[in-house]
Amino acid sequence: MLGMNDNAVELNNLYFNYPRRNVRVLSGVNMQAPRGSIVALMGGSGSGKTTILRLITGQFPVPEGSEVIVDGEYVAKLNQKQLYKMRRKLGMLFQFSGLFTDMSVADNVAFPLHKHTKLTMSTIHDMVLLKLHAVGLRAVATRFPSELSGGQQRRVALARAMALDPHILLYDEPFSGLDPVSRTIIAKLIKDLNNALGATSIIITHDVPETFQIADLIYLLWQGEVISSGTPAQMSASQEPLIDQFVNAKADGPLPFHMPGGSLAKDLRLAR
């Protein structure tokens, strides 16, 4: 079951349709995340980024004919026990942090350690302080998430994501809803922690400036397909209209404002 390559995550010919929806979400996506790298999956809303994250973590079944390989293991071949074991190699930073509001900062970071290890309370206490120190928030260990700013909450969530020293870190829109200074801080932390842990990071995002500062490799998705991939420098230099529009945030270009569909006049007549 183990793959013999240097990719921490690999997607081959990945297709996906949501049940009850006659729309193809992913159409033959191929992607590699080399070990030790920071890889960004970018694209507009609805391009399939978060669906890929859910397939990597085994939240959705991998369709027949597609491959999702995580740390050498084929996700489709894992039973429930094996899947849970594989997930312990992953650290997840949820969009908008996902902290437990009725727990202190320290208890939030300690949660995965209590659930997945048999460490003593004193060891967990020390590890929590070390993780919080790494994100610059050891001083707020006894506070609750509601007492922190959005940027501070995101940093606590990052400390929790790396509590088990994961091989692979997954970030779902880590810069969303943050002010410019907080976005810069989070970007620097992602880069520094990836290097310190020797981990591989996959970032789901549509925020260009912060991502281009730290990513080693970028995949640009549009309507469920990878339309381009390369380094930030290669993407910035591209003259392809769709890539140029996305990277430079241009209002006019091939990326449409409206979702594909029938005419407005026809829809209005049907609604009468």
Side-chain angles (χ1 to χ4, degrees), residues 26 97 100 103 189 205 249:
L26 299 174
S97 304
F100 299 112
M103 289 185 181
L189 278 173
T205 183

Side-chain angles (χ1 to χ4, degrees), residues 191-255:
K191 183 74 171 180
D192 291 346
L193 291 173
N194 194 76
N195 292 338
L197 293 172
T200 303
S201 294
I202 298 177
I203 305 174
I204 306 296
T205 183
H206 53 253
D207 293 281
V208 172
E210 293 77 20
T211 305
F212 274 43
Q213 290 176 13
I214 63 173
D216 300 301
L217 181 61
I218 293 169
Y219 288 86
L220 182 58
L221 281 83
W222 169 240
Q223 294 185 344
E225 298 182 11
V226 174
I227 59 171
S228 184
S229 63
T231 65
Q234 290 170 333
M235 300 291 278
S236 297
S238 175
Q239 298 300 308
E240 175 66 32
L242 196 150
I243 299 169
D244 177 59
Q245 181 188 2
F246 183 83
V247 171
N248 295 295
K250 295 180 178 179
D252 296 323
L255 290 172

Side-chain angles (χ1 to χ4, degrees), residues 78-149:
L78 302 178
N79 59 35
Q80 188 175 55
K81 183 177 180 181
Q82 291 168 331
L83 181 61
Y84 288 159
K85 185 178 179 181
M86 183 274 287
R87 285 175 177 166
R88 287 191 58 181
K89 303 176 184 179
L90 309 177
M92 178 76 188
L93 178 68
F94 297 96
Q95 188 175 10
F96 304 120
S97 304
L99 298 176
F100 299 112
T101 57
D102 59 342
M103 289 185 181
S104 69
V105 164
D107 286 341
N108 266 280
V109 179
F111 184 80
L113 294 167
H114 285 302
K115 287 292 183 180
H116 299 293
T117 74
K118 296 181 180 180
L119 298 172
T120 65
M121 292 295 291
S122 62
T123 301
I124 290 176
H125 174 269
D126 291 345
M127 289 184 68
V128 166
L129 291 183
L130 286 171
K131 302 303 181 184
L132 287 172
H133 182 74
V135 299
L137 290 177
R138 182 166 50 88
V140 303
T142 59
R143 296 186 191 178
F144 285 82
S146 60
E147 301 176 90
L148 307 179
S149 69

Side-chain angles (χ1 to χ4, degrees), residues 163-186:
L164 295 171
D165 294 328
H167 300 178
I168 300 165
L169 285 160
L170 306 173
Y171 299 87
D172 189 6
E173 302 288 0
F175 312 115
S176 179
L178 299 181
D179 63 82
V181 173
S182 294
R183 288 201 299 267
T184 301
I185 290 172
I186 292 297

Side-chain angles (χ1 to χ4, degrees), residues 12-17 24 55 61-68 76:
N12 296 318
N13 195 40
L14 185 57
Y15 285 82
F16 189 79
N17 288 10
R24 175 152 283 172
L55 286 160
V62 178
E64 186 176 351
S66 299
E67 290 182 341
V68 177

